[in-house]
Amino acid sequence: MSEASKPVILTCAQPTGQLTIGNYLGAIKNWATMLDDYECYFGVVDMHAITVKYTPADLRKNTLSCVAQYIACGLDPARSNIFIQSHVTGHTELAWLLSCITPIGDLQRMTQFKEKAAKLGFNVGEGNELKFTHEGARAQASVNSGLLMYPVLMAADILLYNADAVPVGNDQRQHLELCRDLAQRFNHTYSETFTIPEPFIPEAGARIMSLQDPGRKMSKSDGNQSATLFILDEPGQLRKKIMSAVTDSESEIVAREDKPGVSNLLQIYSTMSGRSVAAIEESLKGEGYGTLKKDVADAVVAQLEPVQATYKELIADKAYLESVLKSGAEAAQKRAYKVLGKVYRKAGFVERPR
Ligand code: TRP
């Protein structure tokens, strides 16, 4: 019906373990408010996840867990299309076409590629060539070409659906720029085909920072376990991590630039409870950090308890998850085939005889 006239949003997440409250508050909760105004596609990108070392059994488990976490966090499958990337034909096909209009140098210049390569013991040099950071690295590792191609596959994820807008974190800004460049280059080379996707990037104020180093974003891959709150952490664990969060030597409970730890706790409290930071500051006047932390912990636990209960039900109900993924993949595939067919025609491929 009116479905066709709604703008399309698409976003994806890698199925790498558990979602953090940063993912929940900074991203998923916002997506959940868009379900009625947009035609929504939410992908779990398992093919991106194999660019780094992984265990197949874990990938399978984490992918399903990620789907269940999405739904538990409020992505209603009745009002959105939740799918697994490897279930839809077209992501890698389009990535191949796009790779043929992507200069290698553009990929070697990507910040995340450099970071990932550096972890493997490589530097990207002046001329974009890969160099070992130390001789020992040569024997230990190599940079696989999937890691380099990662942003092209991501561009394909987006363009395959002709998405109007893509909600992503600030760390994905450069990848989205590349996607827009590729769409423009394709349109220019072959004629108007792709919608140029707009990034939806949340404001910095809504960012949830590490509990141990509030200058850095809360991250699921943080080496320090107590820096990050996962949405599936037991209530006891959540409380323990919050009670040991970094604050400062003063005692005033206010959000201020020179008090990043306290500001972060207030931000978490506010987003979790729906109360404004100002109202919380007012109600905690004269109290100490211990009270603040206890209140934050109560708010976090209260918000996450129903999410965790729903998750437990979902992950035990394989048939339901499969039905969600089946209809998600069908809707995604339908749209993907339409775009891919058009792309193949424009690229000069002979139409498949029917
Ligand atoms: N690279 C993104 C991340 O790590 C995940 C991703 C893959 C993505 N394909 C996408 C995000 C398409 C948005 C749209 O967060």
Side-chain angles (χ1 to χ4, degrees):
M1 288 184 344
S2 61
E3 278 289 308
S5 58
K6 285 187 194 172
V8 170
I9 65 165
L10 168 136
T11 190
C12 303
Q14 289 199 61
T16 36
Q18 295 190 27
L19 298 176
T20 69
I21 65 152
N23 300 132
Y24 175 56
L25 298 174
I28 305 174
K29 250 185 132 189
N30 295 335
W31 308 345
T33 65
M34 299 175 175
L35 302 184
D36 294 324
D37 300 327
Y38 295 86
E39 185 178 333
C40 296
Y41 293 87
F42 300 117
V44 179
V45 287
D46 50 353
M47 291 163 123
H48 281 270
I50 67 169
T51 53
V52 292
K53 205 162 174 278
Y54 77 104
T55 310
D58 288 346
L59 176 62
R60 193 170 292 122
K61 209 172 114 231
N62 288 339
T63 302
L64 286 175
S65 171
C66 186
V67 172
Q69 288 177 65
Y70 266 7
I71 303 171
C73 288
L75 300 186
D76 176 6
R79 294 181 293 146
S80 63
N81 305 298
I82 301 174
F83 66 95
I84 294 176
Q85 184 185 31
S86 64
H87 288 178
V88 181
T89 301
H91 289 257
T92 49
E93 282 76 0
L94 183 56
W96 173 251
L97 262 131
L98 295 175
S99 77
C100 295
I101 56 167
T102 310
I104 297 176
D106 285 5
L107 299 177
Q108 288 172 325
R109 259 194 294 281
M110 290 276 141
T111 307
Q112 279 201 348
F113 173 69
K114 289 186 186 174
E115 284 170 4
K116 289 175 188 170
K119 276 196 191 145
L120 294 169
F122 292 83
N123 269 338
V124 179
E126 285 289 317
N128 287 327
E129 75 287 5
L130 284 172
K131 295 192 297 202
F132 302 106
T133 44
H134 56 283
E135 244 335 281
R138 182 194 300 273
Q140 285 168 23
S142 67
V143 176
N144 71 64
S145 25
L147 210 52
L148 185 67
M149 284 286 293
Y150 181 109
V152 180
L153 182 57
M154 175 165 163
D157 297 336
I158 297 166
L159 300 180
L160 187 61
Y161 299 90
N162 259 334
D164 294 290
V166 183
V168 281
N170 195 37
D171 61 330
Q172 296 299 313
R173 191 186 286 278
Q174 198 182 31
H175 288 162
L176 212 68
E177 267 316 305
L178 179 83
C179 173
R180 289 164 57 88
D181 284 351
L182 290 176
Q184 263 149 359
R185 192 169 309 143
F186 190 100
N187 287 351
H188 190 251
T189 311
Y190 296 103
S191 83
E192 212 53 40
T193 307
F194 292 122
T195 308
I196 312 298
E198 289 296 330
F200 271 3
I201 296 177
E203 291 155 42
R207 281 170 78 197
I208 306 297
M209 313 305 279
S210 156
L211 294 181
Q212 291 299 318
D213 177 4
R216 288 209 329 247
K217 204 177 120 180
M218 186 180 280
S219 155
K220 56 182 159 190
S221 51
D222 201 307
N224 185 347
Q225 280 294 306
S226 48
T228 307
L229 300 171
F230 293 101
I231 63 162
L232 297 181
D233 277 346
E234 296 290 336
Q237 264 174 305
L238 292 169
R239 286 184 192 282
K240 205 170 148 215
K241 291 181 185 178
I242 294 167
M243 294 314 288
S244 64
V246 165
T247 48
D248 55 59
S249 53
E250 280 186 15
S251 61
E252 214 187 337
I253 300 176
V254 284
R256 230 173 38 208
E257 219 166 293
D258 62 337
K259 294 167 75 80
V262 174
S263 304
N264 189 37
L265 287 173
L266 285 167
Q267 177 70 41
I268 293 172
Y269 192 176
S270 163
T271 328
M272 281 288 183
S273 65
R275 293 169 62 199
S276 73
V277 170
I280 295 169
E281 286 171 349
E282 183 60 36
S283 70
L284 285 176
K285 233 182 204 147
E287 300 287 348
Y289 289 159
T291 309
L292 168 67
K293 287 176 172 178
K294 197 189 152 294
D295 287 1
V296 173
D298 287 344
V300 169
V301 169
Q303 266 283 308
L304 291 185
E305 259 171 356
V307 172
Q308 297 183 350
T310 311
Y311 173 81
K312 279 190 192 125
E313 275 171 34
L314 290 168
I315 204 69
D317 192 346
K318 206 142 189 268
Y320 173 73
L321 283 184
E322 276 175 9
S323 75
V324 166
L325 290 172
K326 184 164 186 280
S327 55
E330 276 168 5
Q333 188 68 74
K334 195 168 159 218
R335 192 167 172 92
Y337 269 146
K338 249 191 226 157
V339 176
L340 192 67
K342 194 170 167 192
V343 167
Y344 271 21
R345 263 198 317 283
K346 303 251 181 156
F349 295 160
V350 172
E351 200 182 336
R352 185 179 180 152
R354 290 171 210 253

